[in-house]
Amino acid sequence: MATTTVPATPTINDNPQELTGIRARIATLNSPGLYIGTGLGAASMLTGDPLLVTTMGATGVAAGWAALGMMPGPWRWLPGQGEPWEWMCRSSRRGYRRTVRRMRRRLTQDHSPALTVGPDGILIPVHGAANGWYWHAERPALVRQATAEARRARCELLRTAWTKALPDWKNGWWRRYSATEMALRAGPLAAIPATGYLDTPWWAPLIVSSLAATWGAHVWQKPDPATPAEVQARTAEWYLARWNEWIACERGPLPESRLASLHLDDDKLTAVIVSTTAKPALALGQDSVSIAFEVPPRAVNIYRPDDMAAGRARLTVRLRAAASGELDENDLTAVWQEYSPYNGSELYDVERTEHGRRFKLLMPRRGSGVAEVQAGSIAQALDLQGEGAASRLHLRVLDSRRIEVNEMSDNPLQRGVALDLDALTMDDQGYITVGRDIYGNPTRWRLLKYDPKRRGMSGRSSASAVHAFGSGTTGAGKTSLEEDLQVAQRANGFVSWLADGKGGAGYAPWMNDLDWLVKSAYGAMLMGQSANRVSEYRYAQQMTMQWLDSEGYTENGRSFFVPGEPFAPMTATWDEFNEMVLKDPLADHVKPLLRSVSSVGRLSRAAGIAARIWVQIPNLDSLGSDSSANAIRDMLQSGNIALFRTARSDVDIMSLGSRTPKYRLEPLPERFPDGSETGGVFYMADGKDQYIQSRAAFHTNPARLSRQFPMEALTAPEAEAAGPAYLRRDEYRHLDAADEEQFLRELVAKEQGASRRNPTIIDVSTSRTDVEDEELDDLVPLTRSQRVWHAVDDGARRNKAIADVTGLKPANVANATARLERLDKLRKLERDWHTAAPLDTPLADTRSAS
């Protein structure tokens, strides 16, 4: 009986084992390039006309191959640059535009039916067979749809033909090659047959054939796929594992960190780096991530938006860049398109300047904005070489979507800026020039803000003072800029007061060239109080002055300041202000100092008095959290702002409110590319949130330059209002900080004691008569109202100060000031009392009121 044999089903191995060793060598023999090269080497053995035909044919093929490889066209394919048939549709732009014009002309033609004369003499339309198509309401849309379908079918036909002609065209065979590479690839094709014309021994053709076979096999196998299979197969788990192995390990660059919100697509990975230790996430370098993820360094971009905590940072990795080796490094537009960290952004208008390169960035309408752009991210994406590459990039916001980036390989500020006295003269807008910015433009500082609609009786425009704020570490150049401003103030007729927090060491050459210079924190407090009293006196005087409005009418009572009518503008400067406040927060001068400076900032601009503060700390919150410190922060955000080198800390955390920089500013380096110091370099605000790197003008002895201008001082009434600390300033001008503080404390104590022991007594009788000693008891003492009025007339402005001077209870003082206000003897201005009229009320009325 026959046995039925069931044939065994062959097993299909979906994953064949990779060949190694000699088997892999043998497998390479199954290559068309090997046979082509062997045949080309054998052709060198021909002679006569066959050799000539073979040589010329091979030379022509080599030239055509080199031309096709070096010239753009459908015969090559660039990874990420579209497919060949798409290039064909784009390349024939002239023909396409011509076709569009012809189609538009046809669509706009009048296809209305022709008119003929009927039997009765009336014109009638003649309808043809195709007129209905021309009258169709949707004819243009249908024509466009049919044209698109025809083009789509043609592209599909090209796709099929191209795929069958070159089955492996997607493997990068037809990318663009360089001239050297094409000479190495196509050169042997023309050189090998030409060896047949050489007189060589019998073994030379064998060597030539062997070399030709090797060359053919090598060239046939040379192209690599555009995207390796292993890169496509990598999943999010693979990247998380690599992160834990290379980055978050115990000895890694960011231990115990993790990736959150990881998103992976075909060619890009985005995630948020979360640092669980004190080390900031932004400290992680792009080289570490590139090693962990096996991508080029420029494919990695790490940045931190303004609204993100220091323990977090955004990570963007371009995965497709791992196999992109044909990118032109000098083409910034192509590099940015490949490695841009901001989706949808565009780099354009690349041009060369005398200092480097300049280009513009166009941010997308949605997504990333100009506030997220960082110089460090741009330097990473463009792979700028050298230490401190980010510091060489200078950003300038053009509008809501465009940023201009200047690469300054040769920083023009490193040559310094000389001090120009003519540039320190105010223009009609109140600006002076204190240096130059990175673009070669003058750096302007505003001293006064003019308003031409309100004028004094001399016709001069009104003006308000402009406050200023500066921050920077020791040696950053704050003193250089302040000395420029002191020269400018003296040249423009300003009264200059300065409190030096370094004990006078910072401004030793200016001892005799400033109207008032104090060296102790206690003196800085008295300076602030004196500035307030001067502003109160100026307000009281301005209330009685006349002025001209924009139409030329004369009005009474000024609420604004006019320079020189009759007071000079004035600036009070506190250098090292944080040292005065934070060195001993419990000292008796701290709170009065904060209150006085706060009052100057809030109330004195219309009196022509400006405040300028210099600090070393990079954060204004360190000044304190009370109402006075908050008012100082608000004041400093309203005028000039200069940010110097800030101890390598980001300058976008300085509590500047609406004046926070539009984009993240890079910390200024300590040295220029040529090795010189960067002292005097700072970021200057333009009045809004645009900060430009500038350098202050420098002179070895600016105090000597200022002496050629007259030194302004307060008028005699203003000096009396300023108080004894100002009047007796020459007595302690040359003392050190400790002796100055002792002198001022004794002076204040003496003045307070004298005011309490010797109250002012006014004789209110109509005639002077001699009084005998025994009749003194019959004299009526001063009433409470009289004592309160005279206390206000002597300079006491608040009820508490009046109570201290008169010895009355606060309730009695409040009743007396209210009554005197009803009688128009006192007037309240900004919560301060001022005398409005002499106290000529009869004694009987005053006594009865008491």
Side-chain angles (χ1 to χ4, degrees):
M1 182 172 144
T3 304
T4 305
T5 302
V6 179
T9 304
T11 303
I12 301 175
N13 187 8
D14 295 335
N15 298 318
Q17 184 178 3
E18 184 179 358
L19 300 178
T20 59
I22 192 170
R23 293 185 178 182
R25 298 281 185 178
I26 296 174
T28 59
L29 296 178
N30 188 18
S31 171
L34 177 66
Y35 304 116
I36 294 174
T38 303
L40 188 63
S44 63
M45 301 179 184
L46 300 176
T47 58
D49 291 340
L51 178 60
L52 177 62
V53 173
T54 303
T55 303
M56 294 181 62
T59 302
V61 172
W65 184 14
L68 292 178
M70 295 177 61
M71 296 177 59
W75 41 83
R76 66 172 177 87
W77 179 75
L78 286 176
Q81 300 297 324
E83 297 177 344
W85 51 85
E86 295 176 350
W87 178 88
M88 293 179 66
C89 295
R90 292 195 305 268
S91 62
S92 56
R93 292 179 179 177
R94 292 185 179 178
Y96 178 75
R97 288 195 295 266
R98 188 164 53 249
T99 303
V100 170
R101 288 196 300 268
R102 185 163 53 249
M103 181 183 296
R104 288 177 178 173
R105 285 197 303 269
R106 291 177 179 177
L107 292 177
T108 56
Q109 288 178 0
D110 185 11
H111 297 285
S112 56
L115 300 178
T116 60
V117 180
D120 53 356
I122 301 176
L123 295 175
I124 58 175
V126 178
H127 296 275
N131 287 342
W133 163 245
Y134 289 112
W135 292 350
H136 198 285
E138 299 180 357
R139 174 173 168 266
L142 293 175
V143 169
R144 295 187 181 94
Q145 183 179 359
T147 303
E149 292 294 337
R151 290 180 179 273
R152 191 175 297 110
R154 184 171 60 186
C155 287
E156 187 63 28
L157 179 63
L158 288 173
R159 178 195 296 270
T160 304
W162 199 278
T163 303
K164 290 183 178 180
L166 293 172
D168 295 330
W169 68 270
K170 286 188 176 181
N171 290 344
W173 272 58
W174 309 107
R175 59 183 175 83
R176 185 176 184 176
Y177 300 111
S178 63
T180 303
E181 190 174 6
M182 285 310 302
L184 296 175
R185 286 176 177 269
L189 183 62
I192 290 173
T195 58
Y197 291 100
L198 301 177
D199 187 10
T200 58
W202 63 271
W203 46 266
L206 297 179
I207 296 177
V208 170
S209 299
S210 177
L211 294 176
T214 304
W215 168 82
H218 176 73
V219 170
W220 189 271
Q221 297 174 358
K222 182 63 176 177
D224 297 327
T227 305
E230 62 270 18
V231 174
Q232 295 178 347
R234 291 172 181 172
T235 60
E237 288 73 16
W238 185 88
Y239 289 102
L240 292 175
R242 295 282 293 186
W243 181 271
N244 295 329
E245 179 182 358
W246 290 85
I247 307 297
C249 59
E250 182 178 358
R251 296 187 178 182
L254 197 62
E256 301 181 14
S257 61
R258 58 186 177 88
L259 290 181
S261 304
L262 190 145
H263 177 72
L264 181 66
D265 53 22
D266 293 339
D267 61 348
K268 188 176 182 180
L269 180 145
T270 57
V272 176
I273 302 174
V274 180
S275 175
T276 59
T277 61
K279 191 173 184 179
L282 202 59
L284 180 64
Q286 61 181 141
D287 291 335
S288 303
V289 181
S290 68
I291 294 173
F293 290 169
E294 298 179 357
V295 295
R298 67 167 56 191
V300 179
N301 200 284
I302 304 173
Y303 64 97
R304 182 173 66 85
D306 294 338
D307 57 349
M308 185 171 286
R312 294 173 177 258
R314 291 194 181 278
L315 171 66
T316 304
V317 183
R318 302 285 293 190
L319 304 178
R320 187 173 50 138
S324 178
E326 304 303 323
L327 197 62
D328 186 3
E329 303 294 333
N330 296 322
D331 188 357
L332 295 184
T333 301
V335 174
W336 183 263
Q337 184 177 1
E338 183 70 21
Y339 299 105
S340 170
Y342 311 112
N343 292 334
S345 62
E346 179 184 351
L347 188 150
Y348 65 101
D349 279 359
V350 181
E351 58 180 340
R352 283 280 179 182
T353 63
E354 59 178 336
H355 304 293
R357 291 177 293 187
R358 176 190 300 161
F359 54 87
K360 296 182 178 65
L361 294 181
L362 176 63
M363 305 306 294
R365 295 186 183 275
R366 293 183 179 180
S368 302
V370 296
E372 299 183 20
V373 177
Q374 301 176 18
S377 300
I378 300 175
Q380 289 181 10
L382 300 180
D383 196 17
L384 300 181
Q385 302 298 321
E387 184 180 359
S391 63
R392 299 198 305 267
L393 297 180
H394 303 277
L395 280 60
R396 180 165 54 179
V397 178
L398 302 179
D399 52 35
S400 59
R401 293 180 57 201
R402 292 168 178 81
I403 287 184
E404 180 184 273
V405 183
N406 285 265
E407 181 187 10
M408 299 288 185
S409 301
D410 176 24
N411 196 318
L413 298 180
Q414 66 189 11
R415 291 182 286 272
V417 181
L419 185 61
D420 184 5
L421 290 179
D422 295 334
L424 296 180
T425 303
M426 276 196 309
D427 59 11
D428 54 356
Q429 298 296 322
Y431 285 99
I432 61 172
T433 299
V434 295
R436 291 282 173 180
D437 64 15
I438 194 72
Y439 307 108
N441 302 319
T443 300
R444 302 200 305 167
W445 187 282
R446 198 166 199 175
L447 296 179
L448 292 176
K449 185 181 295 184
Y450 286 99
D451 182 9
K453 296 182 179 179
R454 299 181 299 184
R455 296 167 294 152
M457 297 306 295
S458 64
R460 300 184 63 180
S461 300
S462 65
S464 60
V466 181
H467 301 314
F469 160 71
S471 172
T473 58
T474 300
K478 302 189 303 294
T479 304
S480 298
L481 179 56
E482 175 60 30
E483 289 180 330
D484 294 344
L485 297 175
Q486 291 296 339
V487 177
Q489 289 171 184
R490 189 156 174 175
N492 292 280
F494 278 66
V495 177
S496 296
W497 290 3
L498 191 145
D500 186 4
K502 295 181 180 179
Y507 299 91
W510 293 85
M511 280 302 174
N512 298 319
D513 297 301
L514 295 174
D515 182 46
W516 191 10
L517 175 65
V518 295
K519 301 168 284 296
S520 60
Y522 191 81
M525 176 201 70
L526 296 179
M527 179 177 288
Q529 295 175 347
S530 298
N532 280 285
R533 288 194 292 268
V534 172
S535 66
E536 294 168 357
Y537 173 80
R538 289 187 174 186
Y539 281 134
Q541 295 300 313
Q542 289 175 178
M543 292 172 57
T544 63
M545 296 180 182
Q546 293 181 329
W547 59 283
L548 301 174
D549 63 8
S550 58
E551 299 179 359
Y553 289 94
T554 302
E555 300 291 340
N556 294 321
R558 291 183 188 172
S559 59
F560 52 86
F561 173 77
V562 178
E565 293 188 16
F567 311 118
M570 173 178 159
T571 300
T573 303
W574 287 269
D575 192 18
E576 308 293 346
F577 186 73
N578 57 297
E579 185 70 14
M580 303 176 186
V581 176
L582 302 178
K583 185 176 182 180
D584 187 4
L586 301 179
D588 58 351
H589 71 274
V590 173
K591 289 188 176 180
L593 174 61
L594 290 174
R595 285 196 297 265
S596 62
V597 176
S598 169
S599 181
V600 171
R602 289 181 291 108
L603 306 177
S604 300
R605 291 180 64 240
I609 302 177
R612 184 161 60 245
I613 290 181
W614 299 100
V615 298
Q616 289 191 16
I617 51 178
N619 195 332
L620 293 178
D621 290 337
S622 300
L623 294 179
S625 58
D626 59 2
S627 58
S628 298
N630 294 334
I632 293 175
R633 281 193 293 270
D634 295 339
M635 170 194 73
L636 300 182
Q637 299 167 17
S638 64
N640 306 295
I641 297 179
L643 305 181
F644 288 79
R645 192 169 61 242
T646 55
R648 300 192 181 276
S649 300
D650 291 338
V651 296
D652 56 350
I653 58 173
M654 301 189 67
S655 304
L656 293 176
S658 61
R659 302 291 297 280
T660 299
K662 187 178 289 293
Y663 52 87
R664 186 185 298 273
L665 301 180
E666 291 294 323
L668 296 172
E670 296 181 1
R671 294 184 179 275
F672 286 113
D674 63 351
S676 59
E677 296 286 343
T678 59
V681 178
F682 62 98
Y683 285 107
M684 175 66 188
D686 65 348
K688 297 180 182 178
D689 52 2
Q690 176 77 53
Y691 288 76
I692 299 177
Q693 192 175 129
S694 307
R695 189 168 192 178
F698 178 77
H699 191 275
T700 56
N701 192 358
R704 178 180 58 82
L705 295 181
S706 68
R707 296 184 191 124
Q708 58 185 292
F709 305 105
M711 184 171 61
E712 290 289 338
L714 298 180
T715 61
E718 287 179 299
E720 290 292 336
Y726 174 78
L727 291 173
R728 301 181 62 178
R729 61 191 183 280
D730 290 333
E731 299 181 26
Y732 58 87
R733 185 184 297 271
H734 296 282
L735 299 180
D736 59 13
D739 293 340
E740 175 189 280
E741 180 175 352
Q742 181 180 359
F743 179 90
L744 291 175
R745 286 185 180 275
E746 294 176 355
L747 178 63
V748 171
K750 180 179 179 180
E751 292 295 328
Q752 289 178 349
S755 62
R756 293 181 179 179
R757 289 193 305 268
N758 301 317
T760 304
I761 300 176
I762 299 179
D763 187 3
V764 296
S765 60
T766 57
S767 60
R768 182 176 180 87
T769 57
D770 295 331
V771 182
E772 299 294 336
D773 293 340
E774 60 271 9
E775 297 178 359
L776 290 177
D777 295 335
D778 299 332
L779 292 177
V780 179
L782 288 177
T783 63
R784 288 195 295 266
S785 298
Q786 290 175 333
R787 292 162 65 183
V788 167
W789 188 92
H790 289 299
V792 173
D793 191 48
D794 290 338
R797 294 291 177 253
R798 302 289 177 89
N799 286 352
K800 185 177 183 305
I802 298 173
D804 294 338
V805 173
T806 59
L808 299 175
K809 294 182 179 180
N812 295 334
V813 173
N815 293 334
T817 53
R819 179 181 181 277
L820 292 174
E821 186 179 19
R822 290 195 304 269
L823 296 175
D824 293 332
K825 303 301 180 182
L826 293 182
R827 183 172 300 173
K828 199 171 187 179
L829 180 64
E830 294 292 339
R831 299 188 301 171
D832 293 336
W833 291 107
H834 301 272
T835 56
L839 189 62
D840 52 358
T841 306
L843 184 61
D845 297 341
T846 307
R847 187 184 311 154
S848 61
S850 301

